[in-house]
Amino acid sequence: MTQSDQAILKEIKSKIARDANLQETAIWTQKDFDFLSYYIEEKTACRLSVSTLKRIWSNDYQRLPHIATLDALSKTAFDKNWQRLKSASLSNQVEEKENTFKSTYIVRKRKFKKALIALLVMIPMVFILIGGAKAFQKKQNGKEALVNVAFSHE
């Protein structure tokens, strides 16, 4: 069972519970599972046993339930069979990955542009500061030369 399958099944279970007005699945009683069995049968014309529903809702399985069970649950929640729901989910995941890649690319591109602009602004400023420092140093050296001049009378 893949993580994708687990995620889809989890979403199906939570949607069915919400739609059937069943709260807090951890405290469901036998009557809640009986009701759920009839609820699914009413929506799909497929009866799932209470023990199957208990096993699925308690996550007591190592592999996916039978395809007929998955179809009944999928149709109850989303009016699609398992394979259509799974392929739609995979398509959404691929689209989300593409959107994430595109948004990451756009963010990096913006950061690069900002860094490039900052660099283009900083380079002339550095040259101006260096040039100004050299001019100031020349002025200081010229004053020292005037101050250090000594005249003598003989």
Side-chain angles (χ1 to χ4, degrees), residues 22-151:
L22 293 169
Q23 307 296 323
E24 196 71 38
T25 59
I27 58 172
W28 282 5
T29 63
Q30 180 73 22
K31 286 182 181 180
D32 294 320
F33 285 104
D34 284 331
F35 170 77
L36 185 61
S37 178
Y38 288 113
Y39 178 80
I40 292 170
E41 183 179 17
E42 184 180 294
K43 289 195 138 245
T44 65
C46 179
R47 180 144 173 89
L48 299 180
S49 71
V50 170
S51 61
T52 298
L53 294 174
K54 283 182 178 180
R55 188 173 55 252
I56 291 170
W57 255 264
S58 67
N59 298 318
D60 185 20
Y61 49 86
Q62 276 71 38
R63 57 187 184 345
L64 277 176
H66 292 269
I67 193 71
T69 303
L70 294 172
D71 281 343
L73 294 172
S74 299
K75 286 177 184 175
T76 303
F78 297 104
D79 292 324
K80 294 180 182 176
N81 69 23
W82 174 255
Q83 289 302 325
R84 284 190 180 171
L85 186 64
K86 188 175 176 177
S87 65
S89 176
L90 292 175
S91 297
N92 288 340
Q93 288 176 0
V94 168
E95 188 175 309
E96 286 175 11
K97 285 181 181 180
E98 287 175 358
N99 289 340
T100 302
F101 175 76
K102 286 177 184 175
S103 63
T104 303
Y105 173 75
I106 290 170
V107 168
R108 287 183 179 168
K109 188 175 178 181
R110 286 180 185 159
K111 284 182 179 180
F112 177 75
K113 283 182 178 179
K114 287 179 182 178
L116 184 62
I117 290 170
L119 186 64
L120 291 175
V121 169
M122 294 295 286
I123 289 174
M125 290 178 67
V126 168
F127 283 121
I128 291 170
L129 290 174
I130 290 173
K134 284 183 180 178
F136 181 73
Q137 191 175 25
K138 283 182 183 177
K139 281 185 180 180
Q140 289 291 19
N141 288 342
K143 287 181 183 177
E144 287 179 15
L146 293 174
V147 174
N148 291 334
V149 174
F151 296 100

